[in-house]
Amino acid sequence: QKWTMAPRGSGIPKPTNQPGPGEYAQPSTLYGSHPMLPMAGRVPKTTTKRSTPSDALTMGGTTPAPHDYKVTADGEFGSVAQAKAPRYSMRAKISDPADKEVRPGATSYTLGNQGRNGSTETPKWTMAPRGSGIPKPTNQPGPGEYAQPSTLYGSHPMLPMAGRVPKTTTKRSTPSDALTMGGTTPAPHDY
């Protein structure tokens, strides 16, 4: 089975097209027109018809809303009708005649390392240059320039044993060959 709900306001008849309470004339005591209070009017009598609330809807009149009334002042907090605390102001600063005198500013002086008790510098010491007084070494060959006899090929003068590797006639390179003949002597990082 399927169930549905009735539409909103089902069974409630629409209101009849009849005038509301604001459509009826309300007698006033302002102009002496009240049927039960025949007192004199409190304002001068006028024949101008007073507008009713419905005039704004039917005749296009301007009935102001609450937000159409200006109840605040520009630059102030709260309503103009609220009590406010007293506010005080100060007059402008009086100019000192001595300010017209031209004086040097604090940045016009160069003090350097001077303080109120004198110089603030500490003693300065210097050192002799590195190796001062040590003569440069003479231009002579180093230990690697001398031939070292080897036992590999039986050429050692004190150990006449047979060579441990086959004898060859190729000249072995020396450390200076890399500098003089352009040979490639490997460095430690090349291994």
Side-chain angles (χ1 to χ4, degrees):
Q1 291 181 347
K2 295 182 179 179
W3 305 93
T4 58
M5 296 180 67
R8 185 184 182 96
S10 176
I12 300 175
K14 292 184 178 180
T16 58
N17 191 5
Q18 59 189 9
E23 299 296 322
Y24 297 97
Q26 300 293 329
S28 171
T29 59
L30 288 177
Y31 305 116
S33 61
H34 197 277
M36 303 299 292
L37 301 171
M39 60 173 55
R42 299 189 180 109
V43 294
K45 183 153 183 155
T46 178
T47 57
T48 305
K49 179 182 179 299
R50 296 183 68 188
S51 63
T52 60
S54 63
D55 290 342
L57 304 175
T58 56
M59 299 189 304
T62 56
T63 302
H67 67 274
D68 292 328
Y69 296 95
K70 184 173 179 62
V71 295
T72 58
D74 294 334
E76 292 192 12
F77 181 77
S79 172
V80 294
Q82 292 176 337
K84 295 190 173 53
R87 289 174 287 186
Y88 303 97
S89 61
M90 297 176 67
R91 67 177 180 180
K93 183 178 179 180
I94 300 175
S95 61
D96 187 2
D99 292 341
K100 296 179 181 178
E101 182 181 347
V102 179
R103 303 187 189 111
T107 58
S108 300
Y109 300 97
T110 304
L111 298 178
N113 293 326
Q114 300 298 320
R116 63 185 178 96
N117 295 327
S119 177
T120 58
E121 291 185 355
T122 56
K124 297 179 180 177
W125 309 95
T126 59
M127 297 180 68
R130 184 183 181 97
S132 176
I134 301 175
K136 291 186 177 181
T138 58
N139 192 8
Q140 60 188 10
E145 297 299 319
Y146 298 97
Q148 300 292 330
S150 172
T151 59
L152 287 178
Y153 305 112
S155 61
H156 197 277
M158 302 300 292
L159 300 172
M161 61 172 48
R164 299 188 181 114
V165 293
K167 185 156 185 155
T168 178
T169 58
T170 306
K171 179 182 179 295
R172 296 184 70 189
S173 65
T174 61
S176 62
D177 290 343
L179 303 174
T180 57
M181 298 189 303
T184 55
T185 303
H189 67 273
D190 292 328
Y191 294 96

